[in-house]
Protein backbone atom coordinates (compact mmCIF):
# COMPACT_ATOMS: atom_id res chain seq x y z
CA UNK A 1 0.00 0.00 0.00
CA UNK A 2 2.84 2.36 0.81
CA UNK A 3 4.40 1.61 -2.58
CA UNK A 4 1.16 2.52 -4.35
CA UNK A 5 0.86 5.73 -2.35
CA UNK A 6 4.44 6.73 -3.20
CA UNK A 7 3.83 5.90 -6.87
CA UNK A 8 0.67 8.03 -6.93
CA UNK A 9 2.45 10.95 -5.26
CA UNK A 10 5.41 10.77 -7.62
CA UNK A 11 3.16 10.72 -10.68
CA UNK A 12 1.13 13.68 -9.47
CA UNK A 13 4.08 16.05 -9.05
CA UNK A 14 4.95 16.44 -12.71
CA UNK A 15 5.93 19.97 -13.61
CA UNK A 16 5.88 19.57 -17.38
CA UNK A 17 2.82 18.93 -19.50
CA UNK A 18 4.78 18.02 -22.64
CA UNK A 19 3.80 14.36 -22.43
CA UNK A 20 0.12 15.24 -22.06
CA UNK A 21 0.18 17.65 -25.02
CA UNK A 22 2.05 15.22 -27.29
CA UNK A 23 -0.19 12.32 -26.36
CA UNK A 24 -3.33 14.40 -26.90
CA UNK A 25 -2.16 15.54 -30.33
CA UNK A 26 -1.24 12.00 -31.34
CA UNK A 27 -4.55 10.71 -30.01
CA UNK A 28 -6.50 13.28 -32.04
CA UNK A 29 -4.64 12.23 -35.18
CA UNK A 30 -5.32 8.50 -34.69
CA UNK A 31 -8.92 9.15 -33.65
CA UNK A 32 -9.58 11.11 -36.85
CA UNK A 33 -7.94 8.36 -38.92
CA UNK A 34 -10.21 5.80 -37.25
CA UNK A 35 -13.28 7.87 -38.10
CA UNK A 36 -12.12 8.29 -41.71
CA UNK A 37 -11.69 4.56 -42.38
CA UNK A 38 -15.15 3.62 -41.14
CA UNK A 39 -17.66 2.75 -43.85
CA UNK A 40 -20.21 5.51 -44.45
CA UNK A 41 -22.83 3.33 -46.15
CA UNK A 42 -23.95 1.72 -42.91
CA UNK A 43 -27.43 1.97 -41.46
CA UNK A 44 -26.21 3.94 -38.43
CA UNK A 45 -22.70 5.40 -38.85
CA UNK A 46 -22.94 7.25 -35.52
CA UNK A 47 -23.36 4.00 -33.60
CA UNK A 48 -20.48 2.39 -35.50
CA UNK A 49 -18.20 5.34 -34.78
CA UNK A 50 -19.12 5.15 -31.09
CA UNK A 51 -18.47 1.41 -30.88
CA UNK A 52 -15.21 1.30 -32.81
CA UNK A 53 -13.58 4.69 -32.31
CA UNK A 54 -15.09 5.96 -29.06
CA UNK A 55 -16.85 8.88 -30.72
CA UNK A 56 -19.48 10.70 -28.66
CA UNK A 57 -23.05 9.87 -29.67
CA UNK A 58 -24.57 13.05 -31.07
CA UNK A 59 -27.93 11.66 -32.20
CA UNK A 60 -30.35 12.42 -29.34
CA UNK A 61 -32.83 9.74 -30.44
CA UNK A 62 -30.18 7.01 -30.52
CA UNK A 63 -28.76 8.15 -27.21
CA UNK A 64 -32.17 8.12 -25.50
CA UNK A 65 -32.98 4.66 -26.91
CA UNK A 66 -29.63 3.29 -25.73
CA UNK A 67 -30.14 4.87 -22.32
CA UNK A 68 -33.66 3.43 -21.97
CA UNK A 69 -32.43 -0.06 -22.83
CA UNK A 70 -29.28 0.31 -20.69
CA UNK A 71 -27.08 -0.42 -23.71
CA UNK A 72 -25.34 2.95 -23.52
CA UNK A 73 -22.57 1.35 -21.47
CA UNK A 74 -21.59 -0.86 -24.39
CA UNK A 75 -21.27 2.15 -26.69
CA UNK A 76 -19.10 4.18 -24.35
CA UNK A 77 -15.48 3.06 -24.64
CA UNK A 78 -14.29 2.38 -21.12
CA UNK A 79 -11.70 0.44 -19.22
CA UNK A 80 -13.85 -2.67 -19.34
CA UNK A 81 -13.40 -2.76 -23.11
CA UNK A 82 -9.63 -2.90 -22.63
CA UNK A 83 -9.89 -5.62 -20.00
CA UNK A 84 -12.13 -7.69 -22.28
CA UNK A 85 -9.74 -7.28 -25.21
CA UNK A 86 -6.80 -8.17 -22.99
CA UNK A 87 -8.53 -11.35 -21.82
CA UNK A 88 -9.38 -12.37 -25.39
CA UNK A 89 -5.80 -11.76 -26.55
CA UNK A 90 -4.38 -13.65 -23.56
CA UNK A 91 -6.63 -16.64 -24.36
CA UNK A 92 -5.20 -16.52 -27.88
CA UNK A 93 -1.73 -16.69 -26.25
CA UNK A 94 -0.49 -13.29 -27.37
CA UNK A 95 2.51 -12.22 -25.29
CA UNK A 96 1.93 -9.35 -22.88
CA UNK A 97 4.20 -7.01 -24.85
CA UNK A 98 2.08 -7.36 -28.01
CA UNK A 99 -1.17 -7.12 -26.04
CA UNK A 100 0.05 -3.93 -24.38
CA UNK A 101 1.09 -2.40 -27.72
CA UNK A 102 -2.28 -3.27 -29.26
CA UNK A 103 -4.23 -1.93 -26.26
CA UNK A 104 -2.08 1.21 -26.18
CA UNK A 105 -2.82 1.84 -29.85
CA UNK A 106 -6.52 1.18 -29.26
CA UNK A 107 -6.41 3.68 -26.39
CA UNK A 108 -5.02 6.30 -28.76
CA UNK A 109 -7.69 5.51 -31.35
CA UNK A 110 -10.40 5.79 -28.69
CA UNK A 111 -9.36 9.42 -28.07
CA UNK A 112 -7.12 8.62 -25.04
CA UNK A 113 -10.06 8.92 -22.67
CA UNK A 114 -9.23 8.82 -18.93
CA UNK A 115 -11.05 5.53 -18.13
CA UNK A 116 -9.19 3.80 -20.95
CA UNK A 117 -5.82 5.18 -19.89
CA UNK A 118 -6.48 4.16 -16.27
CA UNK A 119 -7.31 0.62 -17.37
CA UNK A 120 -4.18 0.50 -19.54
CA UNK A 121 -2.01 1.60 -16.63
CA UNK A 122 -3.76 -0.87 -14.31
CA UNK A 123 -2.99 -3.71 -16.73
CA UNK A 124 0.65 -2.62 -16.82
CA UNK A 125 0.89 -2.43 -13.02
CA UNK A 126 -0.86 -5.81 -12.64
CA UNK A 127 1.58 -7.42 -15.09
CA UNK A 128 4.51 -5.82 -13.28
CA UNK A 129 3.33 -7.09 -9.90
CA UNK A 130 2.75 -10.57 -11.34
CA UNK A 131 6.22 -10.64 -12.86
CA UNK A 132 8.13 -9.33 -9.82
CA UNK A 133 5.72 -10.74 -7.22
Amino acid sequence: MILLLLLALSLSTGTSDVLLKNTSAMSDYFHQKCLQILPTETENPIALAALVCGENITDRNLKSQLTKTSLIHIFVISGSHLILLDEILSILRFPFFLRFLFLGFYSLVAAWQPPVVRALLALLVRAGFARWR
Side-chain angles (χ1 to χ4, degrees):
M1 185 68 175
I2 293 173
L3 178 65
L4 290 176
L5 182 61
L6 291 174
L7 179 65
L9 287 174
S10 68
L11 290 175
S12 68
T13 60
T15 57
S16 176
D17 59 349
V18 173
L19 179 64
L20 178 62
K21 287 181 183 177
N22 289 340
T23 310
S24 296
M26 189 174 14
S27 171
D28 288 339
Y29 173 77
F30 283 117
H31 185 69
Q32 291 305 318
K33 287 292 182 189
C34 179
L35 292 174
Q36 289 172 2
I37 65 170
L38 289 177
T40 56
E41 296 84 27
T42 62
E43 187 174 322
N44 198 338
I46 295 172
L48 183 63
L51 279 172
V52 176
C53 301
E55 184 71 10
N56 290 332
I57 299 173
T58 55
D59 184 4
R60 290 181 186 258
N61 186 31
L62 175 64
K63 193 171 190 174
S64 69
Q65 289 175 355
L66 291 173
T67 304
K68 286 178 186 175
T69 58
S70 298
L71 293 175
I72 192 78
H73 301 289
I74 295 172
F75 283 77
V76 176
I77 301 292
S78 66
S80 60
H81 287 85
L82 247 62
I83 294 169
L84 176 67
L85 286 172
D86 182 56
E87 289 298 320
I88 291 170
L89 293 175
S90 67
I91 290 170
L92 296 174
R93 304 260 185 231
F94 279 80
F96 177 74
F97 178 72
L98 289 177
R99 292 191 328 247
F100 187 76
L101 284 178
F102 174 76
L103 295 174
F105 181 72
Y106 184 69
S107 299
L108 285 173
V109 168
W112 203 244
Q113 298 172 5
V116 177
V117 175
R118 280 193 300 266
L120 186 66
L121 290 175
L123 287 171
L124 183 64
V125 168
R126 183 180 73 176
F129 282 154
R131 180 175 174 104
W132 293 294
R133 303 203 191 277

